[in-house]
Amino acid sequence: MTTNKNDQKNLWQGTYDAAQKRLRQFTQLWSLQTLSDLPDRLKNLWEQLIGSYWFIPTACVIAGILLAPLLVTVDQHFDRETVREITFAFTGDDDAARAIMTAIAGAVLGVAGTTFSITIAVLSMASSQFGPRLLRNFLTDKPNQFVLGAFIGTFSYSLLVLKSIHKYDVSYGVPQLSVTFAIIMAIICALLLVYFVQHMVHAIQASHVIQNASNDAIDNIHYWYSDCCDIEHQRNVEHHDVEQFQTWPATPVYPPRSGYIQQIYLESLITLTQDYGGVVQMHVNLGDYVTDKNVIGYFYQRPKNHPLNQQKTATPHLAVVPRSPDGMFWQRFADCIRLEQRLAHSNDIAYSLGQMTEIAVRALSPGINDPKTAVNCVQSLTSCLSIMMRRQPPSPYHFYTPAPDNDASDTVGHEQRSAILALVTHTPTISDFINRSLGEIRRYAAADLMVLKALCQSMIDLSYARVNHAQQQTLLHELNLIKRAGEENLSYQELIHDLIAMCQQAERFILDDDAQHQYFSYESEFAAHIRKALETQSS
């Protein structure tokens, strides 16, 4: 009997200790990891909510449910004679009020079903014409969600007000203000139906879809790329650990599960490297697909004789002596990246550019055969890439500066400490973005002269924005691939000669050092011959 009691006691004690350990780990994980990137995490949560199709309609339903009893209560304490003085207010009896509310509830519910059917038809057409990955742009369209929410919100409001109308209600009478507000909402819903039809007509146009994708890409470029060259970024690159950390002891880093990388919380990773005294180098970027067996990076442990290990600091969790990754390290690292089973919208520039690329590729398919839409995509991609070429790319090196020591007796402790390398991320170059966007279109448009010439013009337009020699060589390489694609795939020699002549003129223009102050205009040999003949005839 005593043995059973001891076993029970040990079992409860073990359970209590395990729960306390888990709670301590969770508290440490939340306080150190989540709070450091709390704005980004809240922003991601808000984008997931506002990007879902149900959030705004549900909010409208809740507003209608809360507004109905509120207005009914106001009606109970409102002077009836004052209501009758309002010209557009409802002043009928309970039968008329019940008939009006029943008609409004049935009408808006039927219209809501119609709008939902129109939305499904538009989604089906958009999936076949623009691609299934662009359905999110239609589902997250705020006007569509608000119109549907207004209809079902008015329906919910009408039902609750109808419930409050009692026959021969001597004490309170008919809720006249509530019925008046329902009539106003019904008129607004009728206007919203007209707006919804007009909005959907514009939403399914290819130019509108391309413009939305371009605006999304430009917003992401502004998020990642600086307006001008960052002097602090240049100083950080000269840090001595930048060239030395790869010689330190390395531990492979694996993702917690398979999926697409949607977010990398930089501040959380920096906090993690502070605790373990090392550098994390990530070899993947947003949008990449990884499995749980992929090596996505390395943790480089700082040597024990490194001078930064002996540095005094007020940072409470800075590892004075570096330590190897343990179970808590992997738990915290799993919370530093967000993985999803499907590729969704994020701050990824490549994802936004890929939407326009997908529209262009699908437009070039034999089933659609719309090269003009592909040309529009090339022009929009050129605008986005031109902005990227003129801006400072994000630095792959991320540092932290320990706070000064609070000990007043230590004069050295109050000096500003040098930045410590904590995280190295993978940053795609402009060449990568050009190859993934315009290069992908080139491979599918190899037999279309219109699109190939648009790509050649794109290289010329990007040449106006180039700021260094590497960008110039990238444009020349892509221009050479465009010329080769036309030579191998165009049907007629006249078309091939036309494309080669334009590529040669474009190549001379890009190589000209003063080309950014000149105007480029391509004129084919045939057009030049006709122009000279007309000039001779007129003279």
Side-chain angles (χ1 to χ4, degrees), residues 321-335:
V321 178
R323 50 195 173 120
S324 302
D326 52 11
M328 178 56 69
F329 176 90
W330 300 116
Q331 291 183 31
R332 294 177 57 181
F333 180 81
D335 196 56

Side-chain angles (χ1 to χ4, degrees), residues 145-201:
Q145 297 180 8
F146 180 76
V147 169
L148 181 60
F151 289 153
I152 59 179
T154 303
F155 171 75
S156 304
Y157 171 83
S158 302
L159 283 184
L160 294 180
V161 173
L162 180 63
K163 179 178 176 296
S164 65
I165 301 175
H166 303 288
K167 191 172 182 63
Y168 306 120
D169 196 341
V170 181
S171 57
Y172 297 118
V174 178
Q176 297 175 343
L177 288 179
S178 302
V179 177
T180 303
F181 183 78
I183 295 174
I184 295 174
M185 286 301 301
I187 297 175
I188 293 176
C189 288
L191 298 177
L192 287 177
L193 177 61
V194 178
Y195 166 76
F196 173 78
V197 175
Q198 185 264 348
H199 177 74
M200 294 303 292
V201 170

Side-chain angles (χ1 to χ4, degrees), residues 212-428:
N212 288 340
S214 177
N215 294 337
D216 191 16
I218 292 175
D219 291 340
N220 291 335
I221 293 172
H222 289 321
Y223 177 82
W224 288 108
Y225 281 64
S226 304
D227 293 335
C228 57
C229 184
D230 188 1
I231 299 178
E232 183 71 14
H233 161 70
Q234 301 295 336
R235 183 189 69 82
N236 288 339
V237 171
E238 297 173 359
H239 197 281
H240 60 89
D241 280 346
V242 169
E243 299 180 355
Q244 298 178 1
F245 76 90
Q246 291 186 343
T247 61
W248 301 346
T251 302
V253 174
Y254 302 93
R257 61 183 183 277
S258 302
Y260 293 95
I261 298 180
Q262 292 297 112
Q263 188 73 30
I264 299 177
Y265 297 107
L266 303 180
E267 294 297 330
S268 297
L269 278 175
I270 292 175
T271 304
L272 181 61
T273 57
Q274 293 182 42
D275 292 349
Y276 285 84
V279 176
V280 171
Q281 184 181 22
M282 301 293 294
H283 293 286
V284 293
N285 199 23
L286 299 181
D288 292 344
Y289 182 81
V290 296
T291 66
D292 55 350
K293 301 300 181 182
N294 287 131
V295 176
I296 63 174
Y298 291 92
F299 173 75
Y300 294 93
Q301 183 178 336
R302 192 180 298 115
K304 294 185 178 180
N305 58 354
H306 197 279
L308 294 178
N309 296 336
Q310 310 303 325
Q311 192 169 213
K312 292 185 178 181
T313 176
T315 305
H317 299 286
L318 177 64
V320 178
V321 178
R323 50 195 173 120
S324 302
D326 52 11
M328 178 56 69
F329 176 90
W330 300 116
Q331 291 183 31
R332 294 177 57 181
F333 180 81
D335 196 56
C336 292
I337 58 176
R338 184 165 65 93
L339 296 171
E340 299 290 345
Q341 296 303 316
R342 60 183 181 89
L343 193 60
H345 179 268
S346 64
N347 291 326
D348 184 15
I349 299 176
Y351 179 83
S352 302
L353 298 179
Q355 289 185 324
M356 289 179 280
T357 303
E358 183 175 359
I359 296 174
V361 170
R362 189 169 288 267
L364 293 171
S365 63
I368 298 178
N369 194 18
D370 185 12
K372 187 60 178 177
T373 297
V375 171
N376 293 338
C377 293
V378 170
Q379 294 167 348
S380 297
L381 287 169
T382 304
S383 300
C384 298
L385 294 171
S386 177
I387 297 175
M388 297 174 62
M389 294 178 69
R390 298 192 304 267
R391 286 174 170 259
Q392 174 69 37
S395 173
Y397 304 102
H398 303 272
F399 300 79
Y400 70 91
T401 303
D405 196 357
N406 295 328
D407 188 3
S409 62
D410 187 4
T411 57
V412 181
H414 290 279
E415 296 178 358
Q416 183 66 27
R417 304 186 186 278
S418 60
I420 301 176
L421 181 64
L423 176 63
V424 181
T425 56
H426 175 69
T427 304

Side-chain angles (χ1 to χ4, degrees), residues 23 93 118 140 337 461 514:
L23 181 61
D93 57 1
I118 295 175
T140 58
I337 58 176
D461 296 336
D514 195 43

